[in-house]
Amino acid sequence: MSSADLSTVLDTVWVLVAAFLVFFMQAGFAMVEAGFSRAKNASNIVMKNLMDFAIGSLVFFAFGFAFMFGKDLGGFIGTSGFLGVGGMEHLGLKIPIEAFIIFQTVFAATAATIVSGAMAGRTKFIAYVIYSVVVSLIIYPVVGHWAWGGGWLSKLGFIDFAGSTVVHSVGGWSALMGAAILGPRIGKYGKNGEVYNIPGHSITLGALGVFILWFGWFGFNPGSTLAAVPDIARIAMTTNLAAAAAATTAMIITWVKNGNPDVSMTLNGTLGGLVAITAGTAAVSMWGAVAIGIIAGFVVVFGIEFIDKVLKVDDPVGAVGVHALCGAAGTILVGFFATEGGLFYGGGAHLLLVQITGVLATAAWTLSTTFVLFKTLKATVGLRVSKEDELMGLDRSEHGTEAYADFVLNGTSHSASKAI
């Protein structure tokens, strides 16, 4: 075996291992969303996280990948490779196309699944299934083409190494629009503007999900090199430092504000730091990563409060604050902290302006397309379950099952009552 062949083998193995780590993040999202939601909706959360990956995998393979990485048309969209047919030589890959597709598939699944938690507890399952198809088919791939597929943002020099904007902000802006159109859970807001806390049923599950996601991020960011190169070590370090700094910052802020360190907000702080560093993980220094993490900690705490108490958009898991706001902030901060071209390193304002342009363009595209999507779903199949179904819980009303069949929930047990 030649050295070139060996290099290809090592690169392929590394990309596949990274893809498998990112796939495992689906379990992390499922646990975070289930833990931060009511027990009566846990099966529904699991089903959504399972099916957005399963359906998204098929749709992205057949069409989304081509829209994202096919031959460029006007800097906007790809036009070749549909149904897995046709060459992708223009990509110049050094790994098999199959390895690249599976890696990009798990990224597409991440963008899709972010919406699940923000719309938890009151969304029709059929509406979520259709949403998953559309976001994997066209909404996410178009932004991906702009930044990674040879589109107009990549030509401007836009830096989003692993997807703070391309993946996480697309999911976060979709979540914001979906939750706003859907409306809050019953009992979340009072008639006079009061904001009531509806706690999730298991901080333990939520914490397990965050640890899984943190672990998976070591595939998400270092894997985006698409090669087993020494840079993966530095990328792993910047990823970890940002997460640690954001978690510590969120803990301190809530401790000072509320008198105790808030567990759920600290967990979300960790995720916010991971989201924020994803754009610049290969472009910033170690201390730059720490600074981005600290800023992300502030963005998470005050961003989630702003969404909840000012905009009054009910987001049970804090997905908008973590993914939309921290994704946008992290992408913009590359314009300050990039060691090559960043404002703080003598690069002037050019990169910063490019980063801001990418953030605003992605927000505009995603908010406008998901507005049309969710309004269409609301007018056709319906977006929200009935009041009776919401109070009963989506496990029973949507799936005819219970996640905790042997436990008493809200004073009653459906299984026990049937047995009696």
Side-chain angles (χ1 to χ4, degrees):
M1 181 181 292
S2 68
S3 59
D5 290 339
L6 179 60
S7 177
T8 298
V9 169
L10 292 175
D11 291 347
T12 301
V13 170
W14 166 240
V15 171
L16 289 176
V17 168
F20 303 153
L21 286 171
V22 178
F23 169 71
F24 191 47
M25 290 172 69
Q26 286 290 121
F29 280 113
M31 294 302 98
V32 169
E33 293 168 15
F36 285 3
S37 301
R38 306 297 296 275
K40 62 185 179 181
N41 300 313
S43 293
N44 175 257
I45 292 289
V46 170
M47 190 69 166
K48 289 193 294 184
N49 279 271
L50 172 66
M51 294 315 300
D52 60 31
F53 181 80
I55 295 170
S57 291
L58 297 171
V59 172
F60 188 75
F61 168 69
F63 300 103
F65 182 79
F67 285 135
M68 190 163 173
F69 291 104
K71 292 180 180 178
D72 178 60
L73 176 64
F76 182 76
I77 198 167
T79 59
S80 62
F82 295 101
L83 303 177
V85 178
M88 286 286 181
E89 292 80 8
H90 63 281
L91 295 176
L93 295 173
K94 296 181 180 179
I95 56 174
I97 186 65
E98 295 85 356
F100 186 62
I101 292 174
I102 189 62
F103 187 75
Q104 294 301 330
T105 297
V106 293
F107 271 52
T110 298
T113 205
I114 289 166
V115 171
S116 172
M119 299 176 68
R122 69 262 199 219
T123 306
K124 283 187 175 182
F125 184 67
I126 183 60
Y128 184 79
V129 168
I130 296 171
Y131 152 79
S132 297
V133 170
V134 176
V135 75
S136 300
L137 173 70
I138 191 69
I139 295 175
Y140 166 74
V142 165
V143 177
H145 184 79
W146 293 353
W148 296 341
W152 67 276
L153 277 178
S154 66
K155 293 172 183 176
L156 288 178
F158 180 66
I159 297 175
D160 189 5
F161 184 75
S164 289
T165 285
V166 173
V167 179
H168 294 280
S169 282
V170 166
W173 297 129
S174 299
L176 175 61
M177 185 57 68
I181 292 175
L182 181 64
R185 290 165 292 173
I186 295 170
K188 174 63 181 176
Y189 299 110
K191 294 180 179 179
N192 298 316
E194 305 93 340
V195 180
Y196 299 108
N197 183 37
I198 304 177
H201 82 282
S202 177
I203 284 290
T204 308
L205 278 182
L208 173 62
V210 169
F211 280 116
I212 291 173
L213 289 169
W214 197 337
F215 176 64
W217 236 284
F218 292 122
F220 205 98
N221 286 357
S224 293
T225 57
L226 300 179
V229 293
D231 280 352
I232 62 178
R234 182 169 63 88
I235 293 168
M237 275 298 298
T238 55
T239 299
N240 191 63
L241 287 171
T248 303
T249 301
M251 180 193 71
I252 293 171
I253 293 171
T254 58
W255 207 336
V256 172
K257 280 178 78 268
N258 307 326
N260 5 65
D262 186 276
V263 181
S264 63
M265 194 65 82
T266 303
L267 291 170
N268 268 332
T270 306
L271 298 180
L274 289 165
V275 169
I277 193 58
T278 296
T281 183
V284 304
S285 68
M286 304 292 184
W287 286 109
V290 171
I292 289 172
I294 291 171
I295 294 168
F298 280 90
V299 172
V300 164
V301 175
F302 294 104
I304 288 176
E305 289 188 357
F306 178 78
I307 298 294
D308 189 42
K309 297 178 180 179
V310 179
L311 296 185
K312 288 188 166 53
V313 172
D314 183 15
D315 175 4
V317 305
V320 178
V322 168
H323 297 281
L325 301 187
C326 285
T331 304
I332 292 170
L333 288 170
V334 174
F336 291 97
F337 290 102
T339 55
E340 296 183 11
L343 185 64
F344 293 162
Y345 289 82
H350 174 73
L351 178 59
L352 177 60
L353 293 174
V354 169
Q355 297 300 103
I356 293 171
T357 299
V359 167
L360 293 178
T362 299
W365 164 259
T366 308
L367 290 170
S368 60
T369 53
T370 53
F371 175 82
V372 173
L373 172 60
F374 287 122
K375 282 291 188 179
T376 301
L377 290 172
K378 186 175 181 179
T380 53
V381 299
L383 190 58
R384 185 169 185 141
V385 299
S386 68
K387 178 180 179 181
E388 293 74 20
D389 286 350
E390 181 177 348
L391 293 174
M392 179 192 303
L394 302 190
D395 287 5
R396 288 171 59 187
S397 65
E398 290 284 286
H399 307 287
T401 188
E402 295 178 63
Y404 303 98
D406 294 329
F407 290 79
V408 175
L409 303 180
N410 297 324
T412 62
S413 173
H414 181 57
S415 298
S417 66
K418 288 196 296 183
I420 293 171

